[in-house]
């Protein structure tokens, strides 16, 4: 332990091991006899500050005992503490840096997902439009098929067909022309229904419906 002596009478504890020594709050060391002299005034004999002391022995608190320890011990402890805390700060900074990297990666990934979502939304719009067109196409052909079946069942043609047929017949009657109309085409049934046999310069199979 650090060499202890009285700051008032300069007595050494090593030479007077039976004499108690005290550490005052003002950081002055006072021996028992000198402390007895100042006990009435309760003021330090050296600096006059209020006297509040604790006896120097092995039972004194660590915060007081540290004043008598070898400073090198605290220097080593200081280095250990400094290195430990520096390592902890470096680890904390590394964690923060990795979090930033992860955030940047998440940001890039999110931007990619947003672009993909926009592309998919455009694709959905295009596909909906295409589906609507296909449905319209299917409905048109289903309706046409129904009309053809109905005509075959009734043995007659659709009103559109009849109108076209009447137009064709009336045109043929007024012009007395045997040339085929560009607006209408004959088929086998029509040939059989016609009251007059007709002959054409072109192959009529190209005009069949
Ligand atoms: Zn003394
Ligand atoms: Zn003092």
């Amino acid at each position: 332990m650090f060499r202890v002596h009285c700051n008032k009478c300069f007595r050494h504890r090593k030479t007077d091991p039976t004499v108690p020594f005290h550490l005052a709050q003002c950081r002055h060391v006072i021996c028992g006899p000198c402390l007895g002299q100042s006990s009435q005034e309760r003021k330090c004999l050296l600096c006059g500050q209020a006297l509040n002391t604790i006896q120097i022995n092995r039972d004194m608190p660590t915060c007081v005992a540290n004043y008598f320890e070898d400073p090198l011990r605290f220097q080593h402890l200081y280095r250990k503490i400094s290195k430990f805390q520096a390592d902890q700060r470096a680890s904390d900074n590394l964690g923060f840096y990795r979090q930033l990297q992860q955030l940047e990666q998440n940001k890039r990934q999110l931007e990619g997902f947003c672009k993909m979502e926009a592309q998919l939304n455009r694709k959905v719009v295009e596909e909906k439009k295409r589906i609507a067109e296909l449905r319209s196409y299917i409905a048109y052909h289903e309706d046409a098929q129904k009309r053809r079946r109905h005509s075959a069942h009734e043995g007659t043609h659709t009103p559109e067909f009849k109108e076209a047929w009447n137009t064709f017949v009336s045109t043929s009657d007024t012009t007395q022309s045997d040339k085929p109309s560009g607006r209408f085409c004959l088929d086998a049934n029509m040939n059989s229904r016609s009251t007059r046999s007709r002959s054409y310069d072109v192959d009529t199979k190209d005009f069949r419906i």
Side-chain angles (χ1 to χ4, degrees):
M1 181 179 276
F2 184 73
R3 291 176 58 184
V4 177
H5 73 283
C6 176
N7 297 163
K8 173 65 177 173
C9 66
F10 304 105
R11 185 199 312 265
H12 276 255
R13 192 172 73 164
K14 190 174 182 180
T15 56
D16 293 303
T18 58
V19 175
F21 286 77
H22 304 267
L23 178 66
Q25 193 174 7
C26 57
R27 306 300 188 267
H28 282 131
V29 177
I30 303 172
C31 68
C34 292
L35 183 64
Q37 296 175 13
S38 60
S39 60
Q40 292 180 349
E41 298 181 358
R42 300 302 301 169
K43 288 185 178 178
C44 177
L45 296 174
L46 295 158
C47 64
Q49 292 188 32
L51 197 60
N52 186 17
T53 62
I54 186 167
Q55 187 173 353
I56 300 171
N57 56 30
R58 294 188 180 279
D59 298 329
M60 57 186 170
T62 304
C63 60
V64 178
N66 286 340
Y67 281 103
F68 304 95
E69 291 289 342
D70 184 358
L72 286 178
R73 175 173 172 266
F74 293 100
Q75 188 177 15
H76 295 323
L77 183 61
Y78 166 80
R79 287 177 181 171
K80 287 183 180 178
I81 292 172
S82 296
K83 184 177 184 308
F84 170 77
Q85 294 187 0
D87 291 344
Q88 290 299 310
R89 279 194 294 271
S91 175
D92 193 24
N93 292 339
L94 178 63
F96 181 69
Y97 176 70
R98 286 183 177 171
Q99 282 183 341
L100 282 180
Q101 283 185 319
Q102 186 66 42
L103 285 175
E104 287 294 328
Q105 184 178 353
N106 291 346
K107 182 182 175 185
R108 287 194 295 272
Q109 198 172 28
L110 182 61
E111 289 173 350
F113 284 145
C114 288
K115 288 181 181 177
M116 189 183 299
E117 183 185 22
Q119 290 176 352
L120 288 174
N121 285 335
R122 286 196 295 271
K123 190 74 176 175
V124 166
V125 172
E126 292 173 1
E127 289 299 319
K128 282 183 177 178
K129 183 179 177 183
R130 184 166 166 270
I131 288 170
E133 291 173 353
L134 286 173
R135 282 178 175 165
S136 175
Y137 177 82
I138 290 169
Y140 171 80
H141 284 280
E142 284 179 348
D143 187 54
Q145 191 176 22
K146 285 179 183 176
R147 279 188 274 117
R148 280 197 297 271
R149 285 177 181 170
H150 180 72
S151 299
H153 178 71
E154 296 291 335
T156 59
H157 295 285
T158 62
E160 294 81 2
F161 184 90
K162 288 179 178 178
E163 182 182 356
W165 169 252
N166 293 332
T167 303
F168 170 73
V169 170
S170 61
T171 304
S172 299
D173 289 342
T174 54
T175 60
Q176 296 297 320
S177 172
D178 286 340
K179 292 183 179 179
S181 170
R183 296 160 46 205
F184 188 72
C185 303
L186 294 175
D187 61 9
N189 291 333
M190 290 173 61
N191 280 330
S192 64
R193 288 170 179 270
S194 175
T195 55
R196 293 177 297 177
S197 61
R198 297 173 183 273
S199 60
Y200 301 109
D201 296 334
V202 296
D203 189 356
T204 58
K205 69 180 181 181
D206 295 334
F207 297 90
R208 289 175 186 168
I209 58 174

